[in-house]
Amino acid sequence: VDARTGLPVVGMVGAGQLARMTHQAAIPLGQSLRILADSADDGAALVAADVVVGDYHDLEVLRSFAAGCDVVTFDHEHVPQDLLLGLDGVDLQPSPSALRFAQDKQAMRERLGGLGVPCPRWAPVGSAADLESFAGQVGWPVVLKTATGGYDGKGVWIVEDSQTAAELLGSGARLIAEEKVTIVRELAAVVARSPSGQVAAWPVVETVQSEGICIEVLAPAPGLGAGLAARATALASSIAEELGVTGVLAVELFETADGLLVNELAMRPHNSAHWTIEGARTSQFEQHLRAVLDYPLGTTSPTAPVVVMANLLGGPDDVRPAALDDRVRSCLARWPDVKIHLYGKGFRPGRKVGHVTVLGEDLDDVRTRARAAARYLSEGDTA
Amino acid sequence: VDARTGLPVVGMVGAGQLARMTHQAAIPLGQSLRILADSADDGAALVAADVVVGDYHDLEVLRSFAAGCDVVTFDHEHVPQDLLLGLDGVDLQPSPSALRFAQDKQAMRERLGGLGVPCPRWAPVGSAADLESFAGQVGWPVVLKTATGGYDGKGVWIVEDSQTAAELLGSGARLIAEEKVTIVRELAAVVARSPSGQVAAWPVVETVQSEGICIEVLAPAPGLGAGLAARATALASSIAEELGVTGVLAVELFETADGLLVNELAMRPHNSAHWTIEGARTSQFEQHLRAVLDYPLGTTSPTAPVVVMANLLGGPDDVRPAALDDRVRSCLARWPDVKIHLYGKGFRPGRKVGHVTVLGEDLDDVRTRARAAARYLSEGDTA
């Protein structure tokens, strides 16, 4: 508890955009997020008062950081299990035993399989023979993933044969192979769960990917039948319960001709729910704080019939400071209702540096505006 | 410009709740508010990265603070004119020449009178004879105000005769007297204006006062005719233009049987527009930043048919830390859609320590919920 305010101190390991937006959500709750940053220039470190710069791979750094916190949560899933388990006495939300299933895709697949949750067919692969045997069952190409450490398309490869996977197979990284599913589209079901067991779900959304990176989220998922939407929400809720997840859980789903398959899990605020900042009565960032503190959860109803979020990715060239400010001005002039979110990060090609959110009535109109604004901010006017 | 982000640095003198909520709005714009605080424990200082603790009565403190800013704006109107005028080369928004009319009620009344803006009858009073002469024209009781330094009911007295005003009249404070107007209710017209001259207005609201302090804001003002609403907005817009206001301008109005009268002006984000955080597409805090930076202004349309903001005032007893956290939990459980805003301030009787906002369709329902939640947070369950 912060003695100056009487309100709890939530610590977040990692200082990227998720921590930045969580700090923003902490302010109205009377709180100030305590942040463990890699660098003083990290996006969240630029805007928060209580920042510790240190290496999250160092148990002493983690211990000292956690000492000032009522609860510790995460901007990413990279803190190794042995360090998490070494933080005895610290209230970690989600717990290491839950977080493990967001850190290790093999453990996740095994656990979800045990629960009867529909997933793509998969197998651990340690050799070319394993891979060929798996491909013999599901056919080529096969999706090869590192069991740990991947994100935003990193750590995922589509391989046509075992020869092209030779380098990966010899790298020493623990790998799993998954069938390459024919999908209708990708969806995300995002829920929050508190330690007391309360669960709240936002509407299921469609996520649009490009080269493994989410570029757009459409809320709610256009044309999704009530049955499939309910099924997706029920899947996410039951995964949260069975795995003991606390805080936000994002379940990335494949919609296929035969139904839903779980692709990935994330146990933290997630790109697929950035739209909730303006688009839902309670944002995922506020809800994550409420959940990890075991506060009652907030209403998740949407604030508009259609909400579209488009990510800003760094364009082919760096944006010089003056150009970025000019772009912001022009963007605000052209689209006065578009909500801009910049993360304080340098623009590097393909890097997520911000997002925009547009609310409205008509999907085509809202989506066109969101895309145009995002492209303008990312690349300047290339039309 | 912040070299790390390429985005502008806005400085705000004062670190109360207005600076706190402005910092919150700065984050998505890629900015981090630079704040001049009286104390490291001020509400905004608790949550922002770039805080200077210093005395705004000291020109050197102001100069050194301003040196890191692209533009300097204000959380309050207390910085003396001679210091503002001493900050040559600093981009002050609003300018000292505009701000003067928010600092000095006599100057404001003279200026608005010159513009033909309807105001209560008023006169400067330096003696009991002046006061009696004025009361002879408008009748007792009379409203006596200090020309400078008042806020939240401070610096305002209703006097029945000149004898009860004797102490005030002898205090040396410059005073003005105003007729005590018979009002239907109080309204506020809030606009933002940029240096380029763009003006954007939010819907006119009703403000409900108790003992000179705003306790509730109803947006839009219930039952306000389109003609009167347009008149209020036009008044605020023309005052902003004529006085050269930049940033947010709040015009507090009396609605009387004969029309509108201007009560007070504030040239900063204002309590009467806190509802815009959730209740309008662009909040007053984001708009203030956009305006002082001469960014294009954002859409001001409301996000719900009815929005009610209720202030949290410190109750009769101090709230101990544990009790405040308990109250927050219980409030969130009872009203899952109520948005809580806590300012990080100690609870002292009558002090504004936060607010709640409720959105909905039905005024009675929304207002009842907002009031109940605010009372619960302020006082605990006294029912």
Side-chain angles (χ1 to χ4, degrees), chain A residues 312 331 335 338 356 358 368-378:
Chain A
L312 310 183
C331 179
W335 298 284
V338 166
V356 299
V358 184
T368 300
R369 293 161 60 70
R371 273 188 186 173
R375 201 181 67 170
Y376 184 83
L377 281 168
S378 295

Side-chain angles (χ1 to χ4, degrees), chain A residues 75-87:
Chain A
D75 164 280
H76 57 67
E77 43 275 295
H78 306 325
V79 184
Q81 278 283 324
D82 58 331
L83 296 185
L84 295 174
L85 295 172
L87 290 170

Side-chain angles (χ1 to χ4, degrees), chain A residues 20-313:
Chain A
R20 185 176 168 108
M21 293 186 272
T22 304
H23 177 59
Q24 192 186 329
I27 295 173
L29 293 174
Q31 304 170 22
S32 185
L33 196 67
R34 183 168 158 83
I35 293 168
L36 181 58
D38 290 332
S39 147
D41 286 351
D42 287 352
L46 296 178
V47 299
D50 189 2
V51 177
V52 176
V53 175
D55 182 354
Y56 65 78
H57 298 92
D58 180 331
L59 183 60
E60 284 316 307
V61 168
L62 287 170
R63 274 206 183 118
S64 142
F65 173 73
C69 304
D70 294 285
V71 53
V72 171
T73 185
F74 307 93
D75 164 280
H76 57 67
E77 43 275 295
H78 306 325
V79 184
Q81 278 283 324
D82 58 331
L83 296 185
L84 295 174
L85 295 172
L87 290 170
D88 38 290
V90 176
D91 186 5
L92 296 174
Q93 303 290 347
S95 67
S97 60
L99 198 58
R100 179 165 168 255
F101 301 110
Q103 295 179 314
D104 183 328
K105 296 186 208 301
Q106 181 173 351
M108 182 267 282
R109 286 287 178 236
E110 283 166 357
R111 185 81 166 90
L112 294 189
L115 293 170
V117 170
C119 293
R121 285 176 289 174
W122 74 282
V125 291
S127 65
D130 288 349
L131 180 58
E132 275 164 24
S133 158
F134 178 71
Q137 298 165 46
V138 305
W140 296 101
V142 157
V143 181
L144 211 53
K145 297 179 174 178
T146 55
T148 61
Y151 68 98
D152 276 356
K154 294 185 176 65
V156 178
W157 300 266
I158 295 172
V159 294
E160 301 288 339
D161 52 47
S162 61
Q163 268 188 310
T164 56
E167 196 179 333
L168 272 170
L169 288 163
S171 69
R174 192 154 50 86
L175 299 171
I176 65 168
E178 296 183 353
E179 66 174 317
K180 187 167 186 319
V181 177
T182 301
I183 66 170
V184 177
R185 57 178 169 176
E186 295 195 36
L187 303 173
V190 185
V191 301
R193 182 175 174 275
S194 66
S196 295
Q198 190 187 2
V199 175
W202 289 275
V204 176
V205 299
E206 177 174 344
T207 62
V208 181
Q209 327 283 327
S210 171
E211 298 175 23
I213 299 180
C214 173
I215 54 166
E216 237 179 15
V217 173
L218 316 178
L224 185 68
L228 219 49
R231 173 89 182 118
T233 299
L235 266 178
S237 301
S238 75
I239 291 170
E241 280 162 19
E242 294 290 347
L243 272 50
V245 180
T246 49
V248 168
L249 168 71
V251 179
E252 298 182 31
L253 296 159
F254 294 136
E255 183 184 347
T256 75
D258 301 323
L260 301 173
L261 299 173
V262 170
N263 179 23
E264 303 279 359
L265 304 183
M267 296 181 195
R268 50 169 169 76
H270 188 257
N271 199 171
S272 62
H274 288 357
W275 66 275
T276 59
I277 296 175
E278 295 90 2
R281 194 60 66 217
T282 305
S283 80
Q284 67 164 341
F285 300 101
E286 177 184 343
Q287 198 80 299
H288 187 74
L289 287 168
R290 288 165 75 152
V292 301
L293 284 165
D294 210 10
Y295 274 14
L297 302 181
T299 306
T300 53
S301 50
T303 61
V306 173
V307 186
V308 174
M309 188 247 27
N311 277 331
L312 310 183
L313 302 179

Side-chain angles (χ1 to χ4, degrees), chain A residues 23 28 47 281 295 325 342, chain B residues 20 23 28 47 295 325 339 342:
Chain A
H23 177 59
V47 299
R281 194 60 66 217
Y295 274 14
D325 189 40
L342 295 171
Chain B
R20 184 176 168 109
H23 177 59
V47 299
Y295 274 15
D325 189 40
K339 304 321 288 183
L342 295 171

Side-chain angles (χ1 to χ4, degrees), chain B residues 104-111 122 124 147-148 174-176:
Chain B
D104 183 328
K105 295 186 209 298
Q106 181 173 351
M108 182 266 282
R109 285 285 178 236
E110 284 166 356
R111 185 80 166 90
W122 74 282
T148 61
R174 191 154 51 84
L175 299 171
I176 66 169

